[in-house]
Amino acid sequence: MRERDPLPASPAYGNFKAFADTRRIHTIHASPHNNRLPIAMHCHLILARARNGVIGRHGALPWHLPQDLAHFRRTTWGAHVLMGRTTWEGLPERYRPLPGRQNVVLTRQADWQAPGALVAHSLEEALALGADDGIAWVIGGAQTYALALPLAEEAVITEIDADYDGDAYAPEFDPAQWVEVSRDAHCTPEGLRFALVRWGRLAQNCCGSARRTTEEST
């Protein structure tokens, strides 16, 4: 995995660092009065989005950007990758499961199987599958991103400086809850500009619930 850029010094960064230093805030403890599973892993999002918010079309990326695919591989290598069932089924068969990562698939279908991957029936269950302080990268699709957003601590976004037609859109990141931590601008030989951007959730807004379900996981 590529070494991360140093964090900038700023009041917003101070709030983000306070959150990063107390990352266990997202743990939901099991008790006789709370049947939720303890969340062991840190929930991060990774996605590429067009200028108009599009992230997909007919279950595929509407652009060809090898630099982003390489960035995705470097960032997620060795970690858990968490996806909805339709995202799993949209992967080329030769890439299922994604190599070098523990694949976890969300579905509400009790008897559904994903050869080579773990199957979870809630986001909480998925985040409880790994070791404490591990990272689970949510990789899609749109409804799984929306489900995971309230629990996400960090988002790594490839911002593509072009509009595309599509039928899946990125979640909305509230600027009152998120701060841009780093930005690395690039341009392809064909002239397509894009940036690799890292966002962190501000400390005073670290809260959320994973109790919702998604149509995508059906």
Side-chain angles (χ1 to χ4, degrees), residues 133-213:
D133 289 326
I135 294 176
W137 288 99
V138 178
I139 67 170
Q143 294 178 15
T144 303
Y145 285 132
L147 178 70
L149 182 61
L151 284 180
E153 303 175 7
E154 182 174 308
V156 173
I157 303 175
T158 299
E159 296 183 354
I160 300 172
D161 192 22
D163 294 333
Y164 288 86
D165 292 331
D167 52 20
Y169 292 84
E172 294 289 335
F173 291 85
D174 185 346
Q177 297 186 14
W178 293 84
V179 60
E180 183 176 309
V181 176
S182 64
R183 174 176 293 266
D184 189 9
H186 298 269
C187 186
T188 69
E190 297 75 24
L192 178 61
R193 293 180 297 177
F194 67 97
L196 307 177
V197 185
R198 186 156 57 100
W199 291 82
R201 187 186 290 277
L202 293 174
Q204 65 268 32
N205 295 296
C206 310
C207 59
S209 171
R211 301 303 296 171
R212 291 178 293 156
T213 57

Side-chain angles (χ1 to χ4, degrees), residues 56-75:
R57 185 172 184 268
H58 302 323
L61 296 174
W63 50 75
H64 179 63
L65 190 56
Q67 298 93 329
D68 175 56
L69 297 178
H71 168 65
F72 171 85
R73 187 175 187 271
R74 287 193 304 268
T75 304

Side-chain angles (χ1 to χ4, degrees), residues 109-131:
Q109 297 183 15
D111 57 350
W112 187 82
Q113 299 294 320
L118 301 176
V119 175
H121 304 292
S122 71
L123 182 60
E124 292 166 332
E125 180 183 353
L127 294 175
L129 290 174

Side-chain angles (χ1 to χ4, degrees), residues 29-113:
H29 298 283
S31 74
H33 305 291
N34 180 4
N35 60 4
R36 298 186 187 182
L37 295 170
I39 295 178
M41 306 191 77
H42 301 294
C43 181
H44 293 189
L45 310 184
I46 185 167
L47 62 133
R49 68 180 179 196
R51 190 168 52 205
N52 59 344
V54 165
I55 62 172
R57 185 172 184 268
H58 302 323
L61 296 174
W63 50 75
H64 179 63
L65 190 56
Q67 298 93 329
D68 175 56
L69 297 178
H71 168 65
F72 171 85
R73 187 175 187 271
R74 287 193 304 268
T75 304
T76 61
W77 191 263
H80 281 54
V81 287
L82 198 160
M83 69 199 85
R85 179 182 58 80
T86 56
T87 296
W88 167 268
E89 293 176 342
L91 293 174
E93 188 171 353
R94 67 184 182 277
Y95 295 128
R96 293 201 310 254
L98 292 173
R101 288 145 285 192
Q102 176 62 68
N103 290 220
V104 182
V105 184
L106 281 174
T107 179
R108 289 184 296 186
Q109 297 183 15
D111 57 350
W112 187 82
Q113 299 294 320

